[in-house]
Amino acid sequence: MADIKALITTVVTPLVQYPDDIKVDFKETTRYLEYNLTVNPEDIGRVIGRQGRVASAIRTIVYSVRVSGPKRVRLTIEDGQQKKLLSEAVMFCLRVFLSCSSF
């Protein structure tokens, strides 16, 4: 588990301008060992690459690591603002709903 985190960090660090903002979270589910890579919003294009080629290469490297048991490895890449944008969208929908229901 820690080896895969270190592998992800080692592969991604040379690609980004803000290596201090790299964060790898781990969550184990019944079917997957899920790794969530979060980078600075300005670096997301560098990590994903044109047409997702860099992200695909990173996933190929990570998925090739042998893990014990039947679980598979899954890697999700996101920028730090994704959750913030989602909460802003929910608040906007709530405001629209409340303004429409006042009639």
Side-chain angles (χ1 to χ4, degrees):
M1 166 175 48
D3 294 334
I4 296 177
K5 275 186 168 182
L7 174 66
I8 295 168
T9 305
T10 303
V11 170
V12 172
T13 299
L15 301 174
V16 298
Q17 286 185 325
Y18 304 99
D20 295 337
D21 292 345
I22 295 173
K23 183 176 152 191
V24 181
D25 295 321
F26 171 74
K27 181 176 128 185
E28 187 171 354
T29 64
T30 56
R31 295 182 62 198
Y32 296 100
L33 301 173
E34 295 184 13
Y35 292 88
N36 186 23
L37 170 65
T38 306
V39 296
N40 189 297
E42 293 183 23
D43 289 329
I44 194 70
R46 295 172 188 268
V47 174
I48 293 176
R50 291 186 180 173
Q51 297 180 356
R53 289 188 178 131
V54 175
S56 178
I58 294 169
R59 285 189 176 109
T60 299
I61 293 168
V62 172
Y63 294 168
S64 67
V65 175
R66 180 172 294 231
V67 293
S68 60
K71 295 186 180 184
R72 298 179 64 188
V73 175
R74 177 186 284 172
L75 176 64
T76 305
I77 302 171
E78 61 184 43
D79 61 1
Q81 292 187 345
Q82 195 171 36
K83 293 176 185 172
K84 180 181 174 186
L85 292 175
L86 179 61
S87 65
E88 288 175 2
V90 168
M91 291 303 294
F92 174 76
C93 290
L94 184 60
R95 273 188 248 124
V96 169
F97 175 75
L98 291 175
S99 67
C100 290
S101 63
S102 63
F103 289 106

